PDB file of all heavy atoms in Angstrom:
ATOM      1  N   ASN S  22      -7.462   7.147  -1.361  1.00 60.00           N
ATOM      2  CA  ASN S  22      -7.793   7.185  -2.790  1.00 60.00           C
ATOM      3  C   ASN S  22      -6.531   7.438  -3.638  1.00 60.00           C
ATOM      4  O   ASN S  22      -6.631   8.060  -4.708  1.00 60.00           O
ATOM      5  CB  ASN S  22      -8.845   8.191  -3.132  1.00 60.00           C
ATOM      6  CG  ASN S  22     -10.232   7.816  -2.601  1.00 60.00           C
ATOM      7  OD1 ASN S  22     -10.514   6.560  -2.478  1.00 60.00           O
ATOM      8  ND2 ASN S  22     -11.095   8.732  -2.321  1.00 60.00           N
ATOM      9  N   ASP S  23      -5.401   6.957  -3.175  1.00 62.00           N
ATOM     10  CA  ASP S  23      -4.173   7.098  -4.022  1.00 62.00           C
ATOM     11  C   ASP S  23      -4.165   5.982  -5.079  1.00 62.00           C
ATOM     12  O   ASP S  23      -4.384   4.833  -4.871  1.00 62.00           O
ATOM     13  CB  ASP S  23      -2.935   6.932  -3.109  1.00 62.00           C
ATOM     14  CG  ASP S  23      -1.656   7.196  -3.907  1.00 62.00           C
ATOM     15  OD1 ASP S  23      -1.635   8.124  -4.720  1.00 62.00           O
ATOM     16  OD2 ASP S  23      -0.661   6.452  -3.661  1.00 62.00           O
ATOM     17  N   VAL S  24      -3.915   6.421  -6.380  1.00 70.00           N
ATOM     18  CA  VAL S  24      -3.830   5.385  -7.466  1.00 70.00           C
ATOM     19  C   VAL S  24      -2.387   5.136  -7.768  1.00 70.00           C
ATOM     20  O   VAL S  24      -1.575   6.060  -7.928  1.00 70.00           O
ATOM     21  CB  VAL S  24      -4.529   5.981  -8.747  1.00 70.00           C
ATOM     22  CG1 VAL S  24      -4.344   5.034  -9.869  1.00 70.00           C
ATOM     23  CG2 VAL S  24      -5.964   6.117  -8.489  1.00 70.00           C
ATOM     24  N   GLN S  25      -2.023   3.872  -7.769  1.00 72.00           N
ATOM     25  CA  GLN S  25      -0.651   3.472  -8.073  1.00 72.00           C
ATOM     26  C   GLN S  25      -0.557   2.414  -9.165  1.00 72.00           C
ATOM     27  O   GLN S  25      -1.464   1.599  -9.284  1.00 72.00           O
ATOM     28  CB  GLN S  25       0.026   2.947  -6.798  1.00 72.00           C
ATOM     29  CG  GLN S  25       0.335   3.892  -5.770  1.00 72.00           C
ATOM     30  CD  GLN S  25       1.040   3.234  -4.541  1.00 72.00           C
ATOM     31  OE1 GLN S  25       1.148   2.043  -4.437  1.00 72.00           O
ATOM     32  NE2 GLN S  25       1.556   4.072  -3.650  1.00 72.00           N
ATOM     33  N   GLU S  26       0.534   2.458  -9.863  1.00 74.00           N
ATOM     34  CA  GLU S  26       0.825   1.435 -10.860  1.00 74.00           C
ATOM     35  C   GLU S  26       2.099   0.694 -10.321  1.00 74.00           C
ATOM     36  O   GLU S  26       3.058   1.367 -10.006  1.00 74.00           O
ATOM     37  CB  GLU S  26       1.094   2.018 -12.259  1.00 74.00           C
ATOM     38  CG  GLU S  26       1.545   0.949 -13.246  1.00 74.00           C
ATOM     39  CD  GLU S  26       1.974   1.623 -14.558  1.00 74.00           C
ATOM     40  OE1 GLU S  26       1.654   2.782 -14.836  1.00 74.00           O
ATOM     41  OE2 GLU S  26       2.713   0.974 -15.363  1.00 74.00           O
ATOM     42  N   TRP S  27       2.049  -0.606 -10.204  1.00 74.00           N
ATOM     43  CA  TRP S  27       3.194  -1.320  -9.645  1.00 74.00           C
ATOM     44  C   TRP S  27       3.286  -2.722 -10.154  1.00 74.00           C
ATOM     45  O   TRP S  27       2.396  -3.255 -10.788  1.00 74.00           O
ATOM     46  CB  TRP S  27       3.042  -1.319  -8.092  1.00 74.00           C
ATOM     47  CG  TRP S  27       1.742  -1.736  -7.575  1.00 74.00           C
ATOM     48  CD1 TRP S  27       0.649  -0.940  -7.406  1.00 74.00           C
ATOM     49  CD2 TRP S  27       1.360  -3.023  -7.195  1.00 74.00           C
ATOM     50  NE1 TRP S  27      -0.415  -1.642  -6.859  1.00 74.00           N
ATOM     51  CE2 TRP S  27      -0.035  -2.952  -6.715  1.00 74.00           C
ATOM     52  CE3 TRP S  27       1.940  -4.306  -7.118  1.00 74.00           C
ATOM     53  CZ2 TRP S  27      -0.741  -3.998  -6.280  1.00 74.00           C
ATOM     54  CZ3 TRP S  27       1.259  -5.327  -6.670  1.00 74.00           C
ATOM     55  CH2 TRP S  27      -0.077  -5.211  -6.256  1.00 74.00           C
ATOM     56  N   THR S  28       4.467  -3.337  -9.917  1.00 76.00           N
ATOM     57  CA  THR S  28       4.745  -4.678 -10.397  1.00 76.00           C
ATOM     58  C   THR S  28       5.210  -5.518  -9.189  1.00 76.00           C
ATOM     59  O   THR S  28       6.003  -5.072  -8.399  1.00 76.00           O
ATOM     60  CB  THR S  28       5.898  -4.608 -11.468  1.00 76.00           C
ATOM     61  OG1 THR S  28       5.479  -3.708 -12.446  1.00 76.00           O
ATOM     62  CG2 THR S  28       6.045  -6.013 -12.036  1.00 76.00           C
ATOM     63  N   ASP S  29       4.702  -6.783  -9.105  1.00 75.00           N
ATOM     64  CA  ASP S  29       5.173  -7.614  -8.046  1.00 75.00           C
ATOM     65  C   ASP S  29       6.401  -8.447  -8.488  1.00 75.00           C
ATOM     66  O   ASP S  29       6.888  -8.267  -9.543  1.00 75.00           O
ATOM     67  CB  ASP S  29       4.048  -8.554  -7.483  1.00 75.00           C
ATOM     68  CG  ASP S  29       3.676  -9.619  -8.503  1.00 75.00           C
ATOM     69  OD1 ASP S  29       4.380  -9.782  -9.542  1.00 75.00           O
ATOM     70  OD2 ASP S  29       2.631 -10.282  -8.276  1.00 75.00           O
ATOM     71  N   ILE S  30       6.942  -9.216  -7.581  1.00 74.00           N
ATOM     72  CA  ILE S  30       8.167  -9.950  -7.808  1.00 74.00           C
ATOM     73  C   ILE S  30       8.000 -10.986  -8.951  1.00 74.00           C
ATOM     74  O   ILE S  30       9.072 -11.362  -9.593  1.00 74.00           O
ATOM     75  CB  ILE S  30       8.702 -10.683  -6.524  1.00 74.00           C
ATOM     76  CG1 ILE S  30      10.131 -11.027  -6.614  1.00 74.00           C
ATOM     77  CG2 ILE S  30       7.831 -11.885  -6.196  1.00 74.00           C
ATOM     78  CD1 ILE S  30      10.784 -11.456  -5.392  1.00 74.00           C
ATOM     79  N   ASN S  31       6.829 -11.347  -9.289  1.00 71.00           N
ATOM     80  CA  ASN S  31       6.541 -12.318 -10.345  1.00 71.00           C
ATOM     81  C   ASN S  31       6.385 -11.615 -11.689  1.00 71.00           C
ATOM     82  O   ASN S  31       6.125 -12.234 -12.741  1.00 71.00           O
ATOM     83  CB  ASN S  31       5.342 -13.200 -10.062  1.00 71.00           C
ATOM     84  CG  ASN S  31       5.502 -14.013  -8.803  1.00 71.00           C
ATOM     85  OD1 ASN S  31       6.509 -14.664  -8.668  1.00 71.00           O
ATOM     86  ND2 ASN S  31       4.535 -13.878  -7.911  1.00 71.00           N
ATOM     87  N   GLY S  32       6.530 -10.263 -11.677  1.00 69.00           N
ATOM     88  CA  GLY S  32       6.425  -9.531 -12.970  1.00 69.00           C
ATOM     89  C   GLY S  32       4.990  -9.134 -13.302  1.00 69.00           C
ATOM     90  O   GLY S  32       4.724  -8.577 -14.395  1.00 69.00           O
ATOM     91  N   LYS S  33       3.959  -9.437 -12.438  1.00 73.00           N
ATOM     92  CA  LYS S  33       2.638  -9.050 -12.758  1.00 73.00           C
ATOM     93  C   LYS S  33       2.390  -7.574 -12.471  1.00 73.00           C
ATOM     94  O   LYS S  33       2.864  -7.039 -11.431  1.00 73.00           O
ATOM     95  CB  LYS S  33       1.663  -9.835 -11.783  1.00 73.00           C
ATOM     96  CG  LYS S  33       1.637 -11.383 -12.092  1.00 73.00           C
ATOM     97  CD  LYS S  33       0.681 -12.097 -11.178  1.00 73.00           C
ATOM     98  CE  LYS S  33       0.738 -13.605 -11.467  1.00 73.00           C
ATOM     99  NZ  LYS S  33      -0.164 -14.303 -10.519  1.00 73.00           N
ATOM    100  N   VAL S  34       1.756  -6.890 -13.386  1.00 71.00           N
ATOM    101  CA  VAL S  34       1.538  -5.475 -13.357  1.00 71.00           C
ATOM    102  C   VAL S  34       0.144  -5.223 -12.820  1.00 71.00           C
ATOM    103  O   VAL S  34      -0.863  -5.826 -13.240  1.00 71.00           O
ATOM    104  CB  VAL S  34       1.723  -4.812 -14.668  1.00 71.00           C
ATOM    105  CG1 VAL S  34       1.507  -3.321 -14.563  1.00 71.00           C
ATOM    106  CG2 VAL S  34       3.146  -5.083 -15.208  1.00 71.00           C
ATOM    107  N   TYR S  35      -0.022  -4.225 -11.875  1.00 74.00           N
ATOM    108  CA  TYR S  35      -1.300  -3.890 -11.284  1.00 74.00           C
ATOM    109  C   TYR S  35      -1.541  -2.369 -11.326  1.00 74.00           C
ATOM    110  O   TYR S  35      -0.514  -1.613 -11.260  1.00 74.00           O
ATOM    111  CB  TYR S  35      -1.380  -4.379  -9.893  1.00 74.00           C
ATOM    112  CG  TYR S  35      -1.284  -5.850  -9.623  1.00 74.00           C
ATOM    113  CD1 TYR S  35      -0.057  -6.418  -9.423  1.00 74.00           C
ATOM    114  CD2 TYR S  35      -2.395  -6.692  -9.618  1.00 74.00           C
ATOM    115  CE1 TYR S  35       0.174  -7.793  -9.236  1.00 74.00           C
ATOM    116  CE2 TYR S  35      -2.234  -8.039  -9.449  1.00 74.00           C
ATOM    117  CZ  TYR S  35      -0.989  -8.577  -9.257  1.00 74.00           C
ATOM    118  OH  TYR S  35      -0.872  -9.908  -9.014  1.00 74.00           O
ATOM    119  N   VAL S  36      -2.760  -2.006 -11.466  1.00 75.00           N
ATOM    120  CA  VAL S  36      -3.164  -0.557 -11.183  1.00 75.00           C
ATOM    121  C   VAL S  36      -4.166  -0.687 -10.071  1.00 75.00           C
ATOM    122  O   VAL S  36      -5.195  -1.330 -10.282  1.00 75.00           O
ATOM    123  CB  VAL S  36      -3.662   0.099 -12.458  1.00 75.00           C
ATOM    124  CG1 VAL S  36      -4.141   1.532 -12.104  1.00 75.00           C
ATOM    125  CG2 VAL S  36      -2.670   0.121 -13.563  1.00 75.00           C
ATOM    126  N   THR S  37      -3.929   0.001  -8.942  1.00 78.00           N
ATOM    127  CA  THR S  37      -4.817  -0.108  -7.802  1.00 78.00           C
ATOM    128  C   THR S  37      -5.118   1.264  -7.225  1.00 78.00           C
ATOM    129  O   THR S  37      -4.355   2.237  -7.380  1.00 78.00           O
ATOM    130  CB  THR S  37      -4.182  -0.988  -6.681  1.00 78.00           C
ATOM    131  OG1 THR S  37      -2.931  -0.404  -6.291  1.00 78.00           O
ATOM    132  CG2 THR S  37      -3.894  -2.342  -7.157  1.00 78.00           C
ATOM    133  N   GLN S  38      -6.209   1.277  -6.547  1.00 79.00           N
ATOM    134  CA  GLN S  38      -6.600   2.477  -5.751  1.00 79.00           C
ATOM    135  C   GLN S  38      -6.580   2.072  -4.320  1.00 79.00           C
ATOM    136  O   GLN S  38      -7.082   1.044  -3.909  1.00 79.00           O
ATOM    137  CB  GLN S  38      -8.000   2.951  -6.136  1.00 79.00           C
ATOM    138  CG  GLN S  38      -8.454   4.232  -5.546  1.00 79.00           C
ATOM    139  CD  GLN S  38      -9.813   4.656  -5.988  1.00 79.00           C
ATOM    140  OE1 GLN S  38     -10.425   3.967  -6.779  1.00 79.00           O
ATOM    141  NE2 GLN S  38     -10.342   5.810  -5.492  1.00 79.00           N
ATOM    142  N   ASN S  39      -5.810   2.858  -3.477  1.00 80.00           N
ATOM    143  CA  ASN S  39      -5.531   2.431  -2.105  1.00 80.00           C
ATOM    144  C   ASN S  39      -6.015   3.363  -1.052  1.00 80.00           C
ATOM    145  O   ASN S  39      -6.039   4.587  -1.260  1.00 80.00           O
ATOM    146  CB  ASN S  39      -4.030   2.285  -1.985  1.00 80.00           C
ATOM    147  CG  ASN S  39      -3.327   1.537  -3.071  1.00 80.00           C
ATOM    148  OD1 ASN S  39      -3.893   0.529  -3.521  1.00 80.00           O
ATOM    149  ND2 ASN S  39      -2.203   2.005  -3.569  1.00 80.00           N
ATOM    150  N   ILE S  40      -6.323   2.773   0.108  1.00 86.00           N
ATOM    151  CA  ILE S  40      -6.490   3.607   1.320  1.00 86.00           C
ATOM    152  C   ILE S  40      -5.476   3.025   2.272  1.00 86.00           C
ATOM    153  O   ILE S  40      -5.470   1.807   2.568  1.00 86.00           O
ATOM    154  CB  ILE S  40      -7.889   3.480   1.910  1.00 86.00           C
ATOM    155  CG1 ILE S  40      -8.924   4.174   1.014  1.00 86.00           C
ATOM    156  CG2 ILE S  40      -7.984   4.057   3.332  1.00 86.00           C
ATOM    157  CD1 ILE S  40     -10.327   4.147   1.553  1.00 86.00           C
ATOM    158  N   THR S  41      -4.556   3.850   2.780  1.00 87.00           N
ATOM    159  CA  THR S  41      -3.435   3.383   3.590  1.00 87.00           C
ATOM    160  C   THR S  41      -3.537   4.084   4.959  1.00 87.00           C
ATOM    161  O   THR S  41      -3.547   5.270   5.022  1.00 87.00           O
ATOM    162  CB  THR S  41      -2.071   3.701   2.919  1.00 87.00           C
ATOM    163  OG1 THR S  41      -2.152   3.349   1.517  1.00 87.00           O
ATOM    164  CG2 THR S  41      -0.993   2.899   3.540  1.00 87.00           C
ATOM    165  N   ILE S  42      -3.539   3.231   6.013  1.00 88.00           N
ATOM    166  CA  ILE S  42      -3.810   3.734   7.362  1.00 88.00           C
ATOM    167  C   ILE S  42      -2.705   3.346   8.326  1.00 88.00           C
ATOM    168  O   ILE S  42      -2.291   2.120   8.296  1.00 88.00           O
ATOM    169  CB  ILE S  42      -5.154   3.164   7.900  1.00 88.00           C
ATOM    170  CG1 ILE S  42      -6.291   3.405   6.886  1.00 88.00           C
ATOM    171  CG2 ILE S  42      -5.487   3.710   9.247  1.00 88.00           C
ATOM    172  CD1 ILE S  42      -7.581   2.576   7.127  1.00 88.00           C
ATOM    173  N   PRO S  43      -2.123   4.267   9.096  1.00 86.00           N
ATOM    174  CA  PRO S  43      -1.078   3.938   9.994  1.00 86.00           C
ATOM    175  C   PRO S  43      -1.634   3.265  11.288  1.00 86.00           C
ATOM    176  O   PRO S  43      -2.759   3.528  11.712  1.00 86.00           O
ATOM    177  CB  PRO S  43      -0.471   5.333  10.368  1.00 86.00           C
ATOM    178  CG  PRO S  43      -1.570   6.265  10.160  1.00 86.00           C
ATOM    179  CD  PRO S  43      -2.419   5.723   9.070  1.00 86.00           C
ATOM    180  N   LEU S  44      -0.813   2.390  11.877  1.00 87.00           N
ATOM    181  CA  LEU S  44      -1.177   1.710  13.135  1.00 87.00           C
ATOM    182  C   LEU S  44      -0.199   2.261  14.189  1.00 87.00           C
ATOM    183  O   LEU S  44       1.066   2.284  14.049  1.00 87.00           O
ATOM    184  CB  LEU S  44      -0.958   0.206  13.047  1.00 87.00           C
ATOM    185  CG  LEU S  44      -1.832  -0.503  11.996  1.00 87.00           C
ATOM    186  CD1 LEU S  44      -1.491  -1.958  11.930  1.00 87.00           C
ATOM    187  CD2 LEU S  44      -3.331  -0.356  12.230  1.00 87.00           C
ATOM    188  N   PHE S  45      -0.727   2.708  15.336  1.00 80.00           N
ATOM    189  CA  PHE S  45       0.086   3.355  16.386  1.00 80.00           C
ATOM    190  C   PHE S  45       0.055   2.513  17.624  1.00 80.00           C
ATOM    191  O   PHE S  45      -0.816   1.824  17.965  1.00 80.00           O
ATOM    192  CB  PHE S  45      -0.551   4.739  16.715  1.00 80.00           C
ATOM    193  CG  PHE S  45      -0.407   5.764  15.666  1.00 80.00           C
ATOM    194  CD1 PHE S  45      -1.449   5.936  14.751  1.00 80.00           C
ATOM    195  CD2 PHE S  45       0.741   6.574  15.508  1.00 80.00           C
ATOM    196  CE1 PHE S  45      -1.349   6.884  13.731  1.00 80.00           C
ATOM    197  CE2 PHE S  45       0.842   7.497  14.551  1.00 80.00           C
ATOM    198  CZ  PHE S  45      -0.154   7.648  13.608  1.00 80.00           C
ATOM    199  N   ASN S  46       1.236   2.647  18.375  1.00 78.00           N
ATOM    200  CA  ASN S  46       1.344   2.062  19.704  1.00 78.00           C
ATOM    201  C   ASN S  46       2.138   3.078  20.526  1.00 78.00           C
ATOM    202  O   ASN S  46       3.323   3.326  20.232  1.00 78.00           O
ATOM    203  CB  ASN S  46       2.017   0.701  19.641  1.00 78.00           C
ATOM    204  CG  ASN S  46       2.113   0.083  21.010  1.00 78.00           C
ATOM    205  OD1 ASN S  46       1.314   0.338  21.846  1.00 78.00           O
ATOM    206  ND2 ASN S  46       3.176  -0.774  21.246  1.00 78.00           N
ATOM    207  N   GLU S  47       1.470   3.625  21.559  1.00 71.00           N
ATOM    208  CA  GLU S  47       2.118   4.668  22.418  1.00 71.00           C
ATOM    209  C   GLU S  47       2.694   5.770  21.598  1.00 71.00           C
ATOM    210  O   GLU S  47       3.770   6.254  21.809  1.00 71.00           O
ATOM    211  CB  GLU S  47       3.247   4.022  23.255  1.00 71.00           C
ATOM    212  CG  GLU S  47       2.697   2.941  24.207  1.00 71.00           C
ATOM    213  CD  GLU S  47       3.855   2.337  25.111  1.00 71.00           C
ATOM    214  OE1 GLU S  47       4.929   2.646  24.839  1.00 71.00           O
ATOM    215  OE2 GLU S  47       3.479   1.574  26.006  1.00 71.00           O
ATOM    216  N   GLY S  48       1.902   6.201  20.666  1.00 72.00           N
ATOM    217  CA  GLY S  48       2.277   7.366  19.827  1.00 72.00           C
ATOM    218  C   GLY S  48       3.264   7.158  18.669  1.00 72.00           C
ATOM    219  O   GLY S  48       3.551   8.032  17.929  1.00 72.00           O
ATOM    220  N   GLN S  49       3.727   5.913  18.570  1.00 76.00           N
ATOM    221  CA  GLN S  49       4.678   5.556  17.515  1.00 76.00           C
ATOM    222  C   GLN S  49       4.012   4.725  16.431  1.00 76.00           C
ATOM    223  O   GLN S  49       3.206   3.767  16.733  1.00 76.00           O
ATOM    224  CB  GLN S  49       5.893   4.782  18.104  1.00 76.00           C
ATOM    225  CG  GLN S  49       6.687   5.563  19.167  1.00 76.00           C
ATOM    226  CD  GLN S  49       7.344   6.838  18.519  1.00 76.00           C
ATOM    227  OE1 GLN S  49       7.882   6.733  17.486  1.00 76.00           O
ATOM    228  NE2 GLN S  49       7.260   7.920  19.281  1.00 76.00           N
ATOM    229  N   VAL S  50       4.392   4.987  15.154  1.00 81.00           N
ATOM    230  CA  VAL S  50       3.845   4.134  14.069  1.00 81.00           C
ATOM    231  C   VAL S  50       4.515   2.741  14.107  1.00 81.00           C
ATOM    232  O   VAL S  50       5.712   2.621  14.043  1.00 81.00           O
ATOM    233  CB  VAL S  50       4.114   4.780  12.713  1.00 81.00           C
ATOM    234  CG1 VAL S  50       3.574   3.867  11.556  1.00 81.00           C
ATOM    235  CG2 VAL S  50       3.426   6.075  12.611  1.00 81.00           C
ATOM    236  N   VAL S  51       3.737   1.681  14.267  1.00 87.00           N
ATOM    237  CA  VAL S  51       4.307   0.346  14.372  1.00 87.00           C
ATOM    238  C   VAL S  51       3.956  -0.496  13.142  1.00 87.00           C
ATOM    239  O   VAL S  51       4.356  -1.631  13.002  1.00 87.00           O
ATOM    240  CB  VAL S  51       3.849  -0.408  15.633  1.00 87.00           C
ATOM    241  CG1 VAL S  51       4.334   0.346  16.877  1.00 87.00           C
ATOM    242  CG2 VAL S  51       2.337  -0.472  15.686  1.00 87.00           C
TER     243      VAL S  51
END
């Protein structure tokens, strides 16, 4: 539920709410 304001390479501005999840392989974030 992190809220971020950001701009992409085309200059478009977004405000988004995110869920960000790590992916692991043998204990390491890949």
Side-chain angles (χ1 to χ4, degrees):
N22 286 336
D23 184 41
V24 176
Q25 289 184 348
E26 176 188 341
W27 47 275
T28 307
D29 68 12
I30 197 167
N31 299 311
K33 294 180 180 178
V34 180
Y35 300 89
V36 178
T37 59
Q38 186 177 1
N39 312 317
I40 292 180
T41 315
I42 306 166
L44 301 174
F45 292 93
N46 183 27
E47 298 181 354
Q49 299 294 318
V50 178
V51 295

